[in-house]
Amino acid sequence: MAFVKDLFDNNFIQYASYVIRDRAIPDLVDGLKPVQRRILHTLLEVDDGRFHKVANVVGQCMKYHPHGDASIYTALVNLANKELFIDKQGNFGNMYTGDSASAPRYIECRIRPFARSVLYNPKITQYVPSYDGRSQEPVQFRAKLPLVLILGAEGIAVGMSTRILSHNIREVIAAEKACLQGKPFKLYPDFPTGGLMDVSDYRDGLGKITVRAKLDTSDDKKIVITEIPYGSTTESLIDSVENAAKSGKIKIAAIHDYTADSVNIEIKLQRGVYTKDVVDALYAYTECEQSISCNLLVIRDNMPVLMTATDVIKYHAQQLVGVLKDELTVEKADLMDRLHARTLERIFIEERIYKNIETMKTAASVEKAVLDGFKPFRSELIRDVTHDDVEHLLKIPIRRISLYDINKNRQEVKTINARLKEIEKLLKHLTDYAVSWLEGIEAKLDAEKTKRRTKVTKFSAVDVKDVVKRDTPLKYDEKNGYLGTGVYGEEKLLITPYDRVFFVRRSGIYTVTEAPDKVFVGPGMWYCGFADKESLSKVLFTIIYRDPATKYVYVKRCRVDAYIMNRDYFFAPDGMEVLHVDTRKTFSFTVHFTKKPRVKVLSKTCRASEFAEKGLKAQGVRVEAREADSVTVQADTSRTAQKDTE
């Protein structure tokens, strides 16, 4: 059994690790999940400037991604709809209505040059064999922008999940520039669907935001939704409005969807209902307002890590400097190789070193003749002549030697030296170079397509309890003892589905419940009212009860200041018999005593106001040390009573 348990534990850990790192959570370095990275790698591989059928791209990508074509197709469509790295042609769905894309054989795509400038540099990218060992795929692209914030991401793994909201690319670039320059910055999400957004609880990517639809309320009898909140489609939003109307929460006459390239949902109101009466209800009961939680979880150094948006910007600012440094270093090495090659060619041809090999009969003697020919010019060379250098020189065709242009060679050398000098200068000022690179990328962006869509504002979330009207009758069936909104009988209160109801049974037991549909309270219920703190604190309960052992009558006056929902409480001490419960401040009652020999006074009338108010758990005050048979209650209409009431 221990072996089986260890086997299951090890397999589960491997599975969990795989799902977290290789399926659900994006990598911080390039902001991509593995399937997205493989799609972009495939598009870069097959790129010839023309559009490719999505079906063909999916097929090509399957040699890197071992989880089937459906996941590749869905990820490709979602990535293309971000309109950042992929040009699309055909029906890729509608983000407003939620309509799906056409089949992969009907739509086409290609990689944008922007993707190459931000992601692609194979000379500084680490590659590993694909799952079948036939191809090479990148471990990560060394991205020059924090794509994890620009693209956003959602994913559920084993024991953890991520929800990263998308941000505006121009604002991300501005934040990264500010970070490099040591200036303060702040970042807030931005969504392509627009709408309004309250970021007061965003907490730098680890809190939540509240989003709202943008409403045109210029017409008193019509509301037009022009932008929808993130996470909704026109279809789901309309469904939520219709459901709220059917349940009586909002009053509308009709709703029409005219959405095409932009959102246009028209809500017509009923006669006598005006826009100002419906707006809050739309926010409270429909998808016109939503709360979205964020959880910025990424893979960093092969481990899942929670980060803030500020942390991501700081990390990528350093990464950009590192990537640019590596690119310059690689370019410098390439230029040095070119400069060395041009110098070798010039000396080889100008000094006629090739003449030295005419009489040589073996490969070794040929190579030695070339090497010996360069010895007088060692000071002009960048490095020693190698075997590969000799091979390169020996492959120069005779035609090129005879037509050799020394001026062209000198011009090329001059250009290389100028670039090398520029690279040296850039390497000494990498931060300034990184800022200028970001400015260059920003200049290439389409101003209209990359402007902020979602307006950052501040608004108070609409509480459903504040919007709903108390118009549902709570009725009591005296005969059968049922209380609730689904009961036929005497109307006690007008309530909402969110109210709590306080009621006292005939036995003196009181209970607080949510607005009941039908609950048994028994015949002769003493009291029914609202259980909110403000309403309940105003009610003074007078309880008249009798001790069955002594038959003494007691009076207790108190208020209810605390309770637990759906729990029964007894106003009187245990074992007592409750005779009457009243909520009037002033009334009179008569205690009828047991007849006994030589006792002439057999009753006593008291006013409730004569008894002091006590705590809920206090004992009652004994009326008199005499056995009582009953109590009768009447209204107190005296002037004194009226004064007490006032």
Side-chain angles (χ1 to χ4, degrees):
M1 288 297 294
F3 170 76
V4 174
K5 183 180 182 303
D6 291 342
L7 181 65
F8 272 98
D9 288 346
N10 291 334
N11 287 346
F12 178 76
I13 291 171
Q14 290 178 21
Y15 166 74
S17 175
Y18 174 73
V19 172
I20 291 168
R21 292 184 302 177
D22 297 329
R23 294 292 295 275
I25 312 298
D27 197 290
L28 177 61
V29 173
D30 58 9
L32 302 172
K33 296 181 182 181
V35 65
Q36 296 173 319
R37 188 178 302 115
R38 288 160 180 162
I39 288 168
L40 292 174
H41 176 60
T42 301
L43 286 169
L44 287 164
E45 266 192 334
V46 302
D47 182 38
D48 58 3
R50 296 182 295 176
F51 281 97
H52 302 269
K53 287 285 186 183
V54 167
N56 185 39
V57 175
V58 170
Q60 294 282 343
C61 188
M62 286 182 70
K63 67 183 180 182
Y64 301 113
H65 194 67
H67 302 293
D69 60 331
S71 60
I72 299 172
Y73 165 66
T74 304
L76 194 155
V77 169
N78 290 337
L79 197 56
N81 283 329
K82 301 286 185 182
E83 297 190 345
L84 187 64
F85 293 141
I86 300 175
D87 279 327
K88 54 187 182 179
Q89 187 165 273
N91 175 23
F92 274 73
N94 190 316
M95 65 178 173
Y96 299 126
T97 63
D99 293 338
S100 58
S102 297
R105 61 185 179 274
Y106 298 123
I107 53 180
E108 297 176 322
C109 67
R110 67 182 176 191
I111 199 77
R112 287 183 174 179
F114 182 78
R116 288 188 176 275
S117 60
V118 172
L119 292 174
Y120 190 65
N121 194 328
K123 292 182 179 179
I124 62 171
T125 302
Q126 181 184 356
Y127 289 83
V128 293
S130 60
Y131 68 92
D132 63 0
R134 290 189 175 93
S135 306
Q136 295 283 314
E137 62 174 314
V139 177
Q140 302 135 343
F141 289 115
R142 297 190 64 188
K144 298 175 185 173
L145 292 176
L147 301 181
V148 72
L149 294 179
I150 296 170
L151 297 175
E154 288 187 39
I156 300 175
V158 179
M160 59 185 68
S161 65
T162 185
R163 189 169 198 182
I164 305 169
L165 304 182
S166 60
H167 295 68
N168 183 276
I169 186 170
R170 286 186 176 275
E171 294 177 5
V172 170
I173 291 174
E176 195 165 357
K177 283 164 55 181
C179 181
L180 288 166
Q181 294 167 342
K183 299 177 181 178
F185 61 90
K186 279 192 176 181
L187 266 181
Y188 298 120
D190 185 30
F191 309 113
T193 53
L196 309 175
M197 174 177 64
D198 186 341
V199 295
S200 54
D201 197 26
Y202 182 52
R203 289 191 287 163
D204 209 10
L206 296 176
K208 64 179 181 178
I209 62 170
T210 304
V211 289
R212 279 184 175 179
K214 189 174 182 180
L215 308 181
D216 180 355
T217 57
S218 56
D219 190 330
D220 283 343
K221 296 298 293 177
K222 180 176 69 175
I223 297 174
V224 179
I225 301 174
T226 57
E227 294 178 7
I228 59 176
Y230 172 73
S232 295
T233 63
T234 55
E235 184 178 354
S236 66
L237 192 146
I238 289 170
D239 286 343
S240 70
V241 173
E242 289 177 340
N243 290 335
K246 286 177 184 177
S247 59
K249 295 172 181 175
I250 57 174
K251 296 178 181 180
I252 65 171
I255 182 168
H256 301 288
D257 187 7
Y258 301 113
T259 300
D261 293 335
S262 60
V263 175
N264 190 338
I265 301 172
E266 186 179 282
I267 302 174
K268 293 185 177 179
L269 307 180
Q270 292 180 1
R271 182 176 297 177
V273 179
Y274 297 93
T275 298
K276 60 183 176 60
D277 304 322
V278 178
V279 170
D280 283 347
L282 280 175
Y283 289 140
Y285 295 117
T286 73
E287 288 187 7
C288 286
E289 177 178 302
Q290 294 190 67
S291 180
I292 301 171
S293 297
C294 321
N295 192 46
L296 212 164
L297 181 73
V298 295
I299 300 297
R300 178 178 179 177
D301 299 329
N302 220 27
M303 293 290 291
V305 179
L306 267 177
M307 301 182 71
T308 63
T310 301
D311 292 337
V312 173
I313 291 294
K314 289 179 179 178
Y315 178 91
H316 269 274
Q318 294 178 355
Q319 178 170 296
L320 175 60
V321 172
V323 170
L324 293 176
K325 179 181 178 181
D326 290 348
E327 285 186 345
L328 290 173
T329 303
V330 169
E331 185 184 358
K332 179 181 177 181
D334 290 343
L335 288 172
M336 293 297 287
D337 287 341
R338 283 179 56 196
L339 184 60
H340 180 65
R342 298 295 86 80
T343 304
L344 288 176
E345 290 173 3
R346 177 181 60 79
I347 296 172
F348 184 71
I349 296 172
E350 274 190 338
E351 303 300 331
R352 298 181 179 272
I353 294 176
Y354 60 88
K355 290 286 187 180
N356 299 343
I357 66 175
E358 291 178 353
T359 59
M360 302 301 167
K361 297 189 180 189
T362 64
S365 60
V366 169
E367 182 172 338
K368 184 176 183 305
V370 174
L371 293 174
D372 291 342
F374 276 102
K375 285 182 179 179
F377 310 100
R378 178 67 186 83
S379 60
E380 298 182 39
L381 299 178
I382 295 171
R383 54 177 170 78
D384 292 336
V385 183
T386 64
H387 173 75
D388 290 338
D389 293 334
V390 174
E391 288 294 320
H392 169 71
L393 293 171
L394 293 176
K395 290 178 181 177
I396 298 176
I398 296 297
R399 179 180 296 177
R400 185 177 164 195
I401 292 175
S402 61
L403 297 177
Y404 182 71
D405 189 342
I406 186 62
N407 291 325
K408 183 179 178 182
N409 181 282
R410 286 174 179 168
Q411 183 60 42
E412 187 175 355
V413 169
K414 183 179 178 182
T415 303
I416 292 172
N417 282 322
R419 179 57 183 166
L420 284 170
K421 188 179 289 186
E422 186 180 355
I423 288 173
E424 287 296 334
K425 184 179 178 182
L426 293 174
L427 285 170
K428 291 178 182 178
H429 303 87
L430 279 171
T431 301
D432 294 336
Y433 177 42
V435 171
S436 65
W437 185 90
L438 289 170
E439 290 172 346
I441 282 290
E442 190 175 15
K444 295 177 183 178
L445 298 174
D446 187 306
E448 179 62 28
K449 290 183 179 179
T450 56
K451 69 179 182 181
R452 170 165 276 278
R453 304 286 180 184
T454 305
K455 183 180 179 181
V456 178
T457 183
K458 191 173 180 62
F459 46 78
S460 300
V462 177
D463 191 343
V464 174
K465 296 178 183 178
D466 297 335
V467 177
V468 66
K469 294 181 179 179
R470 282 178 167 162
D471 55 5
T472 304
L474 180 72
K475 297 181 180 180
Y476 176 53
D477 182 354
E478 172 74 26
K479 181 179 178 181
N480 297 309
Y482 285 99
L483 175 73
T485 56
V487 173
Y488 292 100
E490 178 189 359
E491 182 179 306
K492 289 290 185 181
L493 299 168
L494 288 175
I495 64 171
T496 74
Y498 307 99
D499 281 326
R500 294 177 176 181
V501 177
F502 181 100
F503 55 84
V504 185
R505 295 182 173 90
R506 190 73 182 178
S507 61
I509 293 174
Y510 67 88
T511 309
V512 177
T513 68
E514 301 287 355
D517 178 56
K518 186 177 182 181
V519 62
F520 182 75
V521 299
M525 178 178 66
W526 289 117
Y527 173 79
C528 178
F530 294 109
D532 59 277
K533 190 173 183 179
E534 184 179 354
S535 300
L536 202 54
S537 64
K538 295 177 181 178
V539 181
L540 176 61
F541 291 95
T542 303
I543 302 96
I544 304 173
Y545 64 89
R546 182 173 63 178
D547 185 342
T550 62
K551 291 192 176 181
Y552 293 165
V553 172
Y554 297 82
V555 178
K556 176 181 175 181
R557 306 196 85 191
C558 61
R559 300 177 194 270
V560 177
D561 53 8
Y563 56 82
I564 297 175
M565 293 289 295
N566 300 310
R567 179 174 173 179
D568 292 339
Y569 295 89
F570 194 35
F571 267 127
D574 289 342
M576 298 296 109
E577 175 191 1
V578 174
L579 303 177
H580 182 75
V581 178
D582 211 307
T583 58
R584 292 175 292 176
K585 288 185 177 180
T586 303
F587 67 94
S588 299
F589 62 92
T590 302
V591 180
H592 301 280
F593 299 114
T594 304
K595 291 181 181 181
K596 289 191 177 182
R598 295 187 300 276
V599 177
K600 294 181 179 180
V601 179
L602 298 176
S603 65
K604 181 179 180 179
T605 300
C606 305
R607 286 176 35 228
S609 57
E610 295 173 353
F611 297 87
E613 180 182 336
K614 294 187 175 183
L616 183 61
K617 295 182 180 180
Q619 298 287 331
V621 178
R622 188 174 60 188
V623 175
E624 198 165 318
R626 295 174 61 183
E627 296 178 1
D629 291 334
S630 63
V631 173
T632 57
V633 179
Q634 59 273 351
D636 196 336
T637 57
S638 67
R639 292 192 176 198
T640 307
Q642 292 176 13
K643 186 177 180 180
D644 288 344
T645 304
E646 293 170 3

